Amino acid sequence: MQAIPFDPLDYPHPSRRTVVYARNGMTCAGNPTAASVGLQVLLKGGNAVDAAVAMAAVMPLAEPTGNGLGSDAFVMVWKDGKLYGLNGSGPSPKSASIEALRAKGCEKIPAYGVLASDVPGAVGAWAAVHERFGQLQFADVLAPAIEYAENGFPVSPTVADLWGRAVKLYSGMRSDAQFEPWFTHFAPQNRAPEPGEIFRSSDIAATLKRIAETKGEAFYRGEIAEKIAAFFAAHGGLLTADDLASWRPEWVEPLSVNYRGYDVWEMPPNGHGITVLMALKTLSGMQLGAPLTETMHQQIEAMKLAMSDTAEHVTEPSAMRVTTDELLSDEYAAKRRALIGEQALLPKAGDPRGSSTVYFCTADRDGMMVSFIQSNYRGFGSGIVIPGTGISMNDRMENFRFDPAHANCLEGGKRPYHTIIPGFLSKEGKAVGPFGIMGGFMQPQAHVQVVENLIDWHLNPQQALDSPRWQWIGGKKIDIEADVPPAEVLKLIRRGHEVTVKADLTAMGRGQMILRAPDGTLCGATEKRSDGQIMSY
C-alpha cells in the first residue's frame, strides 16, 4: 500500500500528527518510553523481535494502566515471507468452576480481586518469541526496562490521567487487605503521579532481573511463582504454583481473509480477532461509498452481527461448537449480509454450521515485522499486586460466562474468550505491515474501521488511525466521537441507531501501525488518542 499525500481540503477531519518515514528500522508505541526502548535495542544490533520484547518488558512500568507483569500477550511475527502467531493467554486455575465461585459467595465472576485472575501468559510469551526469533541475548533485551525501573522515567499525560482514575476506583476497595499492595506499589502517597513526574520501581526491576536471568522460568517454576501462589492462597484465591508451572504458550497459525486484494490477518480463537474477519467478509460483498452515513450504517450492522456471533461461539478452541471455517465461510457471510437493511437491527447470534491494553509494533531493516499486544484487561487489572514483585495481575477470568450451558462457560484449566488482537496486512505474499488498536471490545471494531480507511478510502496510516470512530455497545446503542459531523449523527439516529456522542477519546481505542512500501521504506503512525511515539532510523 502506498501512502498518499495528506490534503486537509480533501479530508474533513485532519490528523494532528503526520506519518513518519524511515529506511532501516521503526518502533511504534502508545508510550514514548516504550518506543525509545525499542529503538535502543535496534541500534544495538537487535532485530524486530528483540525490540518488541524489550518494549513488552518496559510496558508494565511505563504504562501500568493497561498492562502488567501479570498480563497476557498475543504476538504475530513476519519473517521470510511467513506470518507466525503466538498465543500467550493463560487458562483459568484448574480448580476454578462456577460451583467453586458460588461456594465462595459469588453470583458472577468478580471483576477485581484474587478470584478474577487466570495464569498470566505475557512473560512466557516474551521468552518463547525471543527463543525462536531473537538475535541478542535475552538479558540484553530486558536491560533497558530494568534500567528505567531502577532509575525512573517521566509519566506521560494520558497514563497519568488513567492512573488517577484507578486510584479513585481502588480507594473504594481499600478496606479489603488483598488490595493494599496495589497502593503500596502504585500509589504510595495515596495519589497517582502527575504528568512528567518520575516513577520508579525497585520491585519491578528485581522481578525483571530474575526473568532475564532465568528466561522466564522463575516466573512460572521458581521463586516468583512461589510468591504469586502464596499470596493467592493467603487471600482465598484459586491460582496455584501448579497452575503456573504447567502452562506453556502456544504457537498457532493466524487466520486471514482477502479484503479487496489485501490479506487481513488475525489470531485464531480463543481471541476474537475472527470478529474482524467475519465483519470484513460481510462488508466485502457490499458497495461502500458516499454518503458517509450509508457506509457507517453498513459497518455498524456488519460489526454487530459479527460480535454477536463471536460472543456466542468463541472460547477455548477445544470447547467451541462451531469451526473457524464455518464462521468464515462465504455462505455464512452471505446469510449475515442479507440481514442488513435500511434500519438498525437488534443482532442475534447465528448458527454457521451447515477497558485497557497496550499495543506496539516494530520493523527492522531485514524485513522482519512484529505485531504485539499485551493486557491485564481492565486497566491495572484485578487490583492484585504481588508484594515485593511489582506484578499486577490480570482480571481475564471475567471474560468467561457464568452459565454452565454456554460454550465459554467457566471451567478449570480453560482459556476464556479473549479481547486482545494484534493485526497484520499482506498483499500477494508480501508484508504490508502490523497494526493494532487497544481497547477491550472496541478492538475488532477499530480494526475494521482502520482497515477500511486504508483500503477503501486510501487514507495514509496517520489519517486512518485518527479518523473519527464509532463503537457498538449493545442492542442498537452506538457511541460516536464528537468530531463526526452532527448532520451525519442525526442521519444515523433516523435509521434507528441510539447514538451517544462521546468526548472521551480514550474510549475509542489507541493504536499504532507500520507499513512497508515495495521499495522497503517504512511508514509509521501512532494516533491522537494516545501519548504515542514513533522512533526510527
Side-chain angles (χ1 to χ4, degrees):
M1 179 179 302
Q2 189 165 0
I4 62 171
F6 174 63
D7 183 349
L9 296 178
D10 293 336
Y11 187 61
H13 305 286
S15 301
R16 298 178 185 177
R17 309 170 188 255
T18 59
V19 292
V20 172
Y21 294 100
R23 184 67 180 174
N24 296 307
M26 182 174 286
T27 65
C28 294
N31 182 277
T33 300
S36 171
V37 162
L39 180 62
Q40 291 174 46
V41 169
L42 287 178
L43 292 174
K44 289 177 181 177
N47 62 21
V49 164
D50 293 320
V53 173
M55 294 163 74
V58 81
M59 274 296 194
L61 175 81
E63 198 164 342
T65 53
N67 77 131
L69 291 171
S71 282
D72 286 337
F74 287 80
V75 191
M76 289 198 285
V77 178
W78 180 276
K79 178 177 171 58
D80 297 333
K82 179 175 172 56
L83 190 65
Y84 300 83
L86 181 65
N87 183 327
S89 66
S92 61
K94 294 175 184 177
S95 62
S97 67
I98 293 172
E99 293 73 21
L101 290 190
R102 283 181 173 153
K104 291 180 175 289
C106 301
E107 293 302 321
K108 62 180 182 178
I109 300 170
Y112 304 101
V114 292
L115 296 177
S117 299
D118 62 17
V119 175
V123 170
W126 304 351
V129 73
H130 180 268
E131 176 69 24
R132 186 165 184 176
F133 295 112
Q135 192 162 283
L136 301 180
Q137 293 296 312
F138 191 62
D140 293 336
V141 170
L142 266 59
I146 295 169
E147 192 277 332
Y148 276 116
E150 289 178 329
N151 298 315
F153 74 98
V155 176
S156 61
T158 299
V159 170
D161 175 62
L162 295 172
W163 206 320
R165 300 184 200 184
V167 170
K168 292 180 182 178
L169 172 68
Y170 293 133
S171 292
M173 310 175 198
R174 195 164 188 176
S175 60
D176 189 332
Q178 65 180 317
F179 298 109
E180 188 58 36
W182 186 90
F183 285 91
T184 300
H185 188 264
F186 287 113
Q189 301 179 57
N190 293 316
R191 63 171 180 83
E194 297 293 331
E197 185 175 348
I198 300 299
F199 177 74
R200 56 179 58 86
S201 171
S202 59
D203 288 347
I204 288 180
T207 300
L208 285 174
K209 286 178 181 178
R210 286 302 293 147
I211 291 170
E213 292 163 355
T214 65
K215 295 185 178 179
E217 280 296 301
F219 192 94
Y220 295 97
R221 288 163 283 278
E223 65 269 31
I224 299 173
E226 292 170 1
K227 291 178 181 179
I228 295 171
F231 186 85
F232 274 73
H235 293 276
L238 301 175
L239 191 65
T240 67
D242 179 62
D243 291 318
L244 293 162
S246 59
W247 178 80
R248 300 290 189 285
E250 179 187 11
W251 290 100
V252 297
E253 291 291 331
L255 302 173
S256 71
V257 300
N258 190 273
Y259 184 75
R260 309 195 199 283
Y262 289 84
D263 291 316
V264 182
W265 296 88
E266 298 282 351
M267 292 286 282
N270 58 312
H272 68 171
I274 194 172
T275 312
V276 179
L277 307 182
M278 294 170 67
L280 289 174
K281 279 190 74 75
T282 299
L283 289 163
S284 66
M286 307 181 80
Q287 185 64 43
L288 303 181
L292 173 63
T293 308
E294 178 64 25
T295 294
M296 291 179 67
H297 171 73
Q298 291 171 342
Q299 290 175 327
I300 291 167
E301 297 302 282
M303 200 74 242
K304 287 157 68 172
L305 292 168
M307 291 194 73
S308 297
D309 279 334
T310 52
E312 180 67 21
H313 299 301
V314 167
T315 184
E316 175 72 57
S318 62
M320 286 177 60
R321 298 163 189 170
V322 301
T323 68
T324 56
D325 287 344
E326 288 169 332
L327 289 169
L328 291 174
S329 72
D330 292 338
E331 294 78 11
Y332 190 58
K335 289 180 181 178
R336 302 305 265 168
R337 189 181 306 121
L339 297 175
I340 298 175
E342 293 296 315
Q343 292 293 306
L345 57 80
L346 282 170
K348 293 188 292 185
D351 186 351
R353 291 169 289 191
S355 214
S356 291
T357 302
V358 294
Y359 174 81
F360 42 98
C361 49
T362 62
D364 64 30
R365 65 191 309 167
D366 296 320
M368 182 183 286
M369 307 182 88
V370 180
S371 188
F372 203 121
I373 197 161
Q374 186 166 282
S375 174
N376 267 348
Y377 186 44
R378 293 182 184 274
F380 280 89
S382 60
I384 297 300
V385 170
I386 309 303
T389 69
I391 299 170
S392 59
M393 295 294 293
N394 68 75
D395 54 342
R396 280 289 163 190
M397 289 264 284
E398 194 183 1
N399 284 154
F400 282 113
R401 293 293 188 93
F402 208 65
D403 175 3
H406 198 279
N408 188 40
C409 67
L410 172 61
E411 295 176 305
K414 179 180 179 181
R415 293 175 299 185
Y417 176 110
H418 218 290
T419 60
I420 60 175
I421 52 172
F424 202 91
L425 293 172
S426 65
K427 187 174 185 180
E428 298 174 352
K430 295 181 180 180
V432 175
F435 71 97
I437 300 93
M438 60 196 85
F441 291 92
M442 179 62 194
Q443 291 184 50
Q445 304 189 60
H447 277 215
V448 168
Q449 292 172 69
V450 168
V451 166
E452 291 201 332
N453 288 343
L454 288 167
I455 296 173
D456 290 299
W457 314 125
H458 310 293
L459 301 185
N460 71 37
Q462 193 62 57
Q463 295 167 326
L465 285 172
D466 282 354
S467 296
R469 293 191 189 137
W470 49 263
Q471 179 178 186
W472 175 64
I473 57 173
K476 297 184 179 182
K477 296 179 180 178
I478 302 296
D479 286 347
I480 200 163
E481 287 185 323
D483 48 359
V484 172
E488 302 299 334
V489 174
L490 182 58
K491 291 175 185 176
L492 288 172
I493 293 172
R494 287 171 177 165
R495 286 177 176 261
H497 298 283
E498 299 170 9
V499 179
T500 300
V501 176
K502 290 285 188 178
D504 181 5
L505 296 181
T506 62
M508 294 295 180
R510 290 163 289 150
Q512 281 71 236
M513 183 188 314
I514 300 174
L515 302 186
R516 189 188 298 278
D519 67 355
T521 299
L522 301 170
C523 179
T526 178
E527 63 173 85
K528 64 185 181 184
R529 301 167 186 86
S530 74
D531 298 323
Q533 185 70 51
I534 306 161
M535 303 292 284
S536 61
Y537 76 107

